[in-house]
Amino acid sequence: MKVLSVKAHSREYEIVIEKDFSHLGEKVKGVFHGKLLAVYDQNTHPLFADEIKKELSHVELLEFILPAGEETKSIQNYAKLLSFLAENGFTRKDGILAVGGGVIGDLCGFVASTYMRGIAYLACPTTLLSCVDSSVGGKTAVNLAEGKNLVGAFYAPSLVYVSLSSLSTLPQREVECGFGEIVKYAFLDREVSEGDIKRGITEEIILKCLNIKKRFVENDEFDKGERAKLNLGHTFGHAVESLSYYNYSHGLCVAKGIDKIIDISCKYYGYGEDKREQFKGLLSSVDFALSIDYSRQDLLDKIKIDKKAESGAVSLVLIKEIGNTEVVKMPLDKLEELI
Ligand code: GLY
């Protein structure tokens, strides 16, 4: 078992990485003694519910199953979960356990942050993306018809428990989602190398990514500075994701976004072909189709309506060197020149 301790400003908590759920019981006991609502989606319930029930036999455990998919992260499901907790007599001593990817995690975290002004939130992330990114750091949210993640809170989990066995049967799209974020970490910090990425899903790469994420969260839990660097590739990534009507996976779009940022960074810092090739070489370790099929104008139009485009400028994370990035407030007319 590997354990990382996140010393965030709001709470200190452990991330446990284990081959299966066999230590979940003892870890839950270590942080909390109330009853627990385990929330699954229709994919994770058949895979993990029996094992989790067995490991948590000492806990009064209730279950709630939601449909899989982004639409689940809604105000309606948020309200349903709150009512379920109230109907079943949950109090401030009790907690909620999210078993799933980012959708279930974000929704449950937000429910936990607001039910009775805050109950314990525990996470068992079961996708690569949620293991290396969304389960850590306390960003919780639901979507509105007007946009994704428009309602939410910073609310740190009390425990994150990663069972590596849950990553062994992921569909290709989920693997792609995770590796888009993993290659992002490789640009943010040299701790993750091209060789690590080429070895695929290993405990080592998950630990390295989590260590990087932990440092960002400890330094800037409430996203007022450094943490913005975790958005590397996301400005163009979100534009492509939306232009593709979400047919492309998030990870693929992030990688396409990083490819665009490499070109922009090289122009912005006046780098030559050697540097561009070095950056592109690292990005090619994920072996994704990186070209963007949308016009420069379509991308700019999407970016302009993105929440990051404020007063005629957009915050972009540029790559100075591998392991050294910079947040630059770039006027939109300058961006138009560079893309
Ligand atoms: N996933 C970006 C962040 O946690 O800030």
Side-chain angles (χ1 to χ4, degrees):
M1 183 196 309
K2 299 284 184 327
V3 179
L4 297 178
S5 176
V6 182
K7 296 181 179 63
H9 185 75
S10 68
R11 197 193 312 278
E12 190 172 329
Y13 55 95
E14 283 188 346
I15 309 171
V16 177
I17 299 126
E18 182 47 288
K19 61 180 187 321
D20 52 25
F21 287 108
S22 56
H23 292 268
L24 182 62
E26 98 201 26
K27 286 294 170 187
V28 167
K29 239 187 237 169
V31 291
F32 134 105
H33 299 282
K35 64 181 169 184
L36 204 48
L37 176 64
V39 181
Y40 298 88
D41 67 28
Q42 280 160 343
N43 296 330
T44 59
H45 186 264
L47 291 170
F48 311 118
D50 286 348
E51 204 181 339
I52 288 178
K53 210 184 287 176
K54 186 174 123 242
E55 296 305 331
L56 297 181
S57 56
H58 62 287
V59 177
E60 188 185 342
L61 189 68
L62 283 80
E63 286 185 352
F64 200 101
I65 306 168
L66 287 160
E70 189 68 30
E71 301 72 42
T72 287
K73 232 173 92 173
S74 65
I75 285 279
Q76 289 76 12
N77 284 328
Y78 166 71
K80 268 189 207 165
L81 281 168
L82 292 176
S83 293
F84 187 87
L85 292 170
E87 281 159 13
N88 287 283
F90 275 65
T91 69
R92 295 187 70 181
K93 297 193 311 302
D94 303 320
I96 185 160
L97 171 71
V99 187
V103 166
I104 295 293
D106 284 8
L107 170 65
C108 290
F110 187 47
V111 169
S113 74
T114 46
Y115 184 72
M116 293 196 169
R117 301 194 182 86
I119 60 172
Y121 165 54
L122 293 77
C124 289
T126 59
T127 62
L128 187 56
L129 175 64
S130 60
C131 282
V132 297
D133 183 18
S134 61
S135 65
V136 174
K139 282 191 179 175
T140 74
V142 294
N143 302 328
L144 295 183
E146 291 76 7
K148 283 171 82 163
N149 295 331
L150 289 185
V151 185
F154 285 98
Y155 193 68
S158 299
L159 173 70
V160 178
Y161 188 103
V162 175
S163 164
L164 294 168
S165 61
S166 64
L167 305 178
S168 59
T169 54
L170 290 177
Q172 186 50 32
R173 188 181 168 93
E174 284 300 336
V175 174
E176 198 175 83
C177 268
F179 273 98
E181 296 290 344
I182 288 173
V183 77
K184 176 195 79 180
Y185 284 123
F187 279 95
L188 295 177
D189 194 309
R190 283 182 171 272
E191 189 172 348
V192 175
S193 70
E194 199 174 324
D196 291 325
I197 294 173
K198 288 192 168 147
R199 279 189 283 280
I201 304 177
T202 60
E203 180 185 76
E204 194 186 356
I205 200 167
I206 290 170
L207 262 170
K208 286 181 175 184
C209 292
L210 283 170
N211 245 320
I212 299 170
K213 177 90 193 233
K214 162 184 143 77
R215 284 199 289 273
F216 276 103
V217 169
E218 288 178 343
N219 291 335
D220 179 24
E221 182 179 13
F222 301 114
D223 207 1
K224 303 230 180 273
E226 276 283 286
R227 189 166 173 175
K229 290 184 177 175
L230 293 171
N231 288 328
L232 173 64
H234 282 65
T235 302
F236 284 95
H238 285 150
V240 174
E241 208 174 350
S242 160
L243 287 165
S244 80
Y245 295 98
Y246 298 89
N247 280 317
Y248 291 153
S249 77
H250 176 71
L252 175 62
C253 294
V254 169
K256 285 176 186 278
I258 295 174
D259 192 49
K260 197 48 121 187
I261 286 295
I262 291 175
D263 294 336
I264 293 172
S265 302
C266 289
K267 286 188 193 159
Y268 186 84
Y269 296 119
Y271 292 154
E273 202 46 39
D274 50 340
K275 188 68 82 185
R276 220 173 87 92
E277 273 173 22
Q278 186 199 1
F279 293 170
K280 296 252 171 175
L282 175 57
L283 184 59
S284 69
S285 57
V286 287
D287 202 15
F288 290 172
L290 295 169
S291 66
I292 294 181
D293 321 325
Y294 305 105
S295 71
R296 187 172 162 274
Q297 197 53 51
D298 284 347
L299 291 172
L300 281 168
D301 289 347
K302 275 284 171 212
I303 288 169
K304 279 182 199 160
I305 54 169
D306 188 332
K307 64 180 187 304
K308 291 175 198 76
E310 287 156 4
S311 35
V314 63
S315 278
L316 279 188
V317 186
L318 299 187
I319 304 163
K320 281 179 131 172
E321 296 290 340
I322 292 172
N324 183 8
T325 51
E326 181 181 35
V327 183
V328 172
K329 199 120 192 116
M330 188 170 298
L332 286 166
D333 51 355
K334 172 92 179 156
L335 181 63
E336 284 193 52
E337 268 171 40
L338 294 179
I339 69 168

